[in-house]
């Protein structure tokens, strides 16, 4: 018994020296909960960071788009002249590439050969049928002017017709003297686009502006890499790879669009010429030329090209006008159901509603220039967006 008491006293003394023992470890559950909470906070922080990064990128895109829009609105005429020169360069460059596939020559030599062949062909056509073509075009202009004046006089006598004429530009025979086609420019009052247009037209005239576009397009086509590399030098080094891809994408899209549109214009012009000749319509060739040229503007260009033929047909008889309207409806159906799918598979596909809306928007801001070049500009913008953004996954699609 004494030994047991001594052992108990020694154990109690040891416990007193060691101090109170810690309670059993029951905090393992609390540590796991803290770790899960920290992981959840980290995921939330990552999501917030991604959202802020996307918002920042979206803000940059919006600001850049606003700056570009203001620049185009302020100097739209000059921008459209540069864009027209780029389209001319695309046509010449595409023709030169075809020549280089046949002949072992450099690109600038192929451009010169194509220009020489083009000038020779145009000179031959003008020499052979130039006087007759000029006569037919002058007759067409006189007939359209007479029909426009007659329609204007008939509508102006009616109050409703007079109200309609007040909203039609003077260029088309209406009474409106302001707006994109009037004397005050796209936004009315003083605007830089109108001033630059006046500078161009007063210094060179319309023919001079066309010469400037052609000459600039020729120089672009002779050495496209020089101008493309010059643009790349203006881009920061870390963004040059993306900029190079955008330039190549833009060039490819414009080439495909121009090739498809030229084919479409040729087919529509030839069909219109042949159909009007079969119907016995006067001035069939210039009317076909007008229809093919107007088809440079998709969808709405078809109605613009049909308007002269319908006006002349109305001056002959209502029956002739119905036959001409049926012919243009057939050509439009052939273009929509046969030509457009064929071209879209090999060139550029754009939704019809987006094309018409782009023509309305660009026409409102830039006048006839924007209306004419709305489709290729929209095609380029769609290609740039497709190049910069990732495809939409199937589970996120509507």
């Amino acid at each position: 018994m004494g030994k047991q008491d001594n052992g108990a006293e020694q154990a109690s003394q040891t416990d007193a020296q060691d101090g109170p023992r810690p309670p059993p470890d029951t905090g393992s559950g609390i540590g796991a909960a803290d770790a899960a909470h920290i992981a959840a906070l980290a995921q939330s922080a990552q999501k917030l960071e991604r959202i802020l990064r996307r918002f920042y990128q979206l803000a940059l895109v919006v600001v850049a788009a606003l700056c570009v829009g203001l620049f185009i609105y302020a100097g739209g005429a000059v921008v459209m002249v540069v864009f027209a020169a780029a389209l001319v360069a695309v046509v010449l460059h595409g023709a030169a590439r075809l020549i280089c596939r046949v002949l072992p020559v450099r690109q600038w030599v192929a451009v010169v050969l194509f220009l020489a062949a083009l000038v020779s062909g145009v000179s031959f056509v003008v020499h052979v049928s130039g006087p007759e073509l000029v006569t037919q075009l002058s007759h067409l202009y006189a007939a359209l002017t007479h029909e426009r004046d007659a329609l204007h006089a008939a509508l102006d006598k009616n109050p409703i017709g007079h109200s309609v004429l007040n909203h039609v530009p003077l260029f088309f025979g209406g009474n409106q003297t302001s707006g994109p086609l009037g004397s005050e420019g796209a936004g009315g009052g003083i605007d830089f686009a109108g001033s630059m247009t006046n500078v161009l037209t007063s210094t060179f005239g319309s023919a001079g502006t066309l010469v400037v576009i052609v000459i600039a397009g020729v120089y672009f086509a002779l050495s496209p890499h020089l101008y493309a590399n010059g643009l790349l030098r203006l881009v920061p080094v870390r963004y040059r790879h993306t900029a190079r891809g955008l330039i190549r994408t833009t060039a490819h899209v414009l080439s495909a669009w121009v090739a498809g549109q030229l084919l479409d214009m040729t087919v529509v012009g030839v069909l219109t010429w042949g159909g009007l000749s079969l119907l016995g319509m006067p001035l069939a060739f210039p009317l076909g030329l007008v229809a093919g040229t107007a088809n440079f503007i998709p969808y709405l260009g078809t109605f613009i090209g049909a308007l002269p033929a319908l006006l002349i047909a109305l001056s002959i008889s209502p029956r002739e006008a119905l036959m001409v309207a049926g012919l243009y409806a057939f050509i439009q159906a052939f273009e929509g159901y046969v030509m457009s799918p064929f071209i879209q598979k090999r060139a550029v596909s754009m939704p019809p509603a987006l094309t018409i809306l782009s023509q309305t928007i660009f026409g409102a801001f830039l006048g006839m220039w924007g209306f004419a070049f709305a489709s290729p500009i929209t095609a380029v913008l769609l290609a740039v967006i497709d190049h910069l953004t990732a495809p939409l996954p199937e589970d996120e699609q509507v």
Side-chain angles (χ1 to χ4, degrees):
M1 292 295 293
K3 293 181 179 179
Q4 292 179 356
D5 294 338
N6 292 334
E9 291 177 358
Q10 290 177 358
S12 61
Q13 292 177 359
T14 304
D15 293 340
Q17 292 177 358
D18 294 340
R21 292 182 180 180
D25 187 10
T26 59
S28 58
I30 298 176
D34 291 341
H37 184 64
I38 293 174
L41 288 178
Q43 291 180 357
S44 300
Q46 292 177 356
K47 290 182 180 179
L48 181 61
E49 183 182 0
R50 287 196 297 267
I51 292 174
L52 291 177
R53 188 184 298 113
R54 291 180 181 179
F55 180 77
Y56 176 72
Q57 293 175 351
L58 179 61
L60 287 180
V61 171
V62 171
V63 171
L66 288 176
C67 293
V68 172
L70 289 175
F71 175 74
I72 292 176
Y73 180 73
V78 179
V79 175
M80 291 298 102
V81 168
V82 175
F83 191 80
L87 285 180
V88 173
V90 166
V91 173
L92 296 178
H93 182 69
R97 289 179 61 185
L98 293 178
I99 294 176
C100 290
R101 293 179 182 178
V102 179
L103 301 176
V105 295
R106 293 187 176 182
Q107 180 183 345
W108 69 270
V109 177
V111 172
V112 172
L113 290 177
F114 176 75
L115 287 174
L118 183 63
V119 171
S120 301
V122 171
S123 301
F124 177 76
V125 172
V126 170
H127 178 73
V128 173
S129 59
E132 181 181 358
L133 179 61
V134 171
T135 302
Q136 290 189 2
L137 289 176
S138 62
H139 289 168
L140 176 62
Y141 177 77
L144 291 178
T145 304
H146 178 268
E147 295 301 325
R148 184 193 65 182
D149 294 340
L151 182 61
H152 181 277
L155 290 176
D156 204 23
K157 295 177 182 178
N158 189 285
I160 300 178
H162 183 75
S163 176
V164 171
L165 290 175
N166 289 334
H167 294 82
V168 176
L170 188 64
F171 179 81
F172 293 114
N175 299 330
Q176 185 180 4
T177 58
S178 63
L181 300 176
S183 59
E184 297 182 7
I190 300 174
D191 62 303
F192 183 71
S195 354
M196 292 306 299
T197 306
N198 293 333
V199 168
L200 288 173
T201 53
S202 61
T203 306
F204 303 105
S206 300
T209 304
L210 181 61
V211 170
V212 169
I213 291 174
V214 172
I215 292 177
V218 170
Y219 278 110
F220 287 161
L222 287 175
S223 53
H225 300 289
L226 174 66
Y227 301 99
N229 293 331
L231 286 176
L232 284 177
R233 292 184 63 182
L234 301 177
V235 180
V237 177
R238 59 177 179 174
Y239 297 120
R240 285 182 182 175
H241 179 73
T242 304
R244 187 185 299 110
L246 290 178
I247 291 176
R248 291 177 177 176
T249 301
T250 301
H252 174 72
V253 169
L254 284 180
S255 301
W257 188 89
V258 168
Q261 208 61 27
L262 286 178
L263 176 61
D264 194 39
M265 291 166 60
T266 303
V267 172
V268 169
V270 171
L271 289 178
T272 304
W273 176 28
L276 293 178
S277 300
L278 292 176
L279 293 178
M281 275 283 293
L283 307 173
F285 180 73
L287 287 174
L289 186 63
V290 168
T293 305
N295 215 58
F296 178 82
I297 305 173
Y299 302 107
L300 298 180
T302 303
F303 300 98
I304 297 174
L307 187 60
L310 290 174
L311 289 176
I312 295 177
L314 278 174
S315 65
I316 299 175
S317 67
R319 178 177 176 273
E320 190 75 13
L322 288 176
M323 295 176 65
V324 170
L327 172 65
Y328 276 91
F330 169 76
I331 294 175
Q332 174 66 19
F334 177 80
E335 180 195 7
Y337 291 102
V338 178
M339 290 298 301
S340 292
F342 176 79
I343 293 174
Q344 288 177 358
K345 287 181 180 179
R346 294 163 175 80
V348 180
S349 176
M350 289 193 301
L354 182 61
T355 303
I356 296 174
L357 287 176
S358 67
Q359 291 169 351
T360 305
I361 295 173
F362 282 102
F365 280 96
L366 302 174
M368 288 301 297
W369 286 97
F371 183 73
F373 295 122
S375 295
I377 293 175
T378 306
V380 170
L381 292 177
L382 289 177
V384 169
I385 293 174
D386 185 67
H387 182 83
L388 294 178
T389 58
L392 193 64
E394 293 185 2
D395 57 343
E396 296 183 5
Q397 296 180 6
V398 179

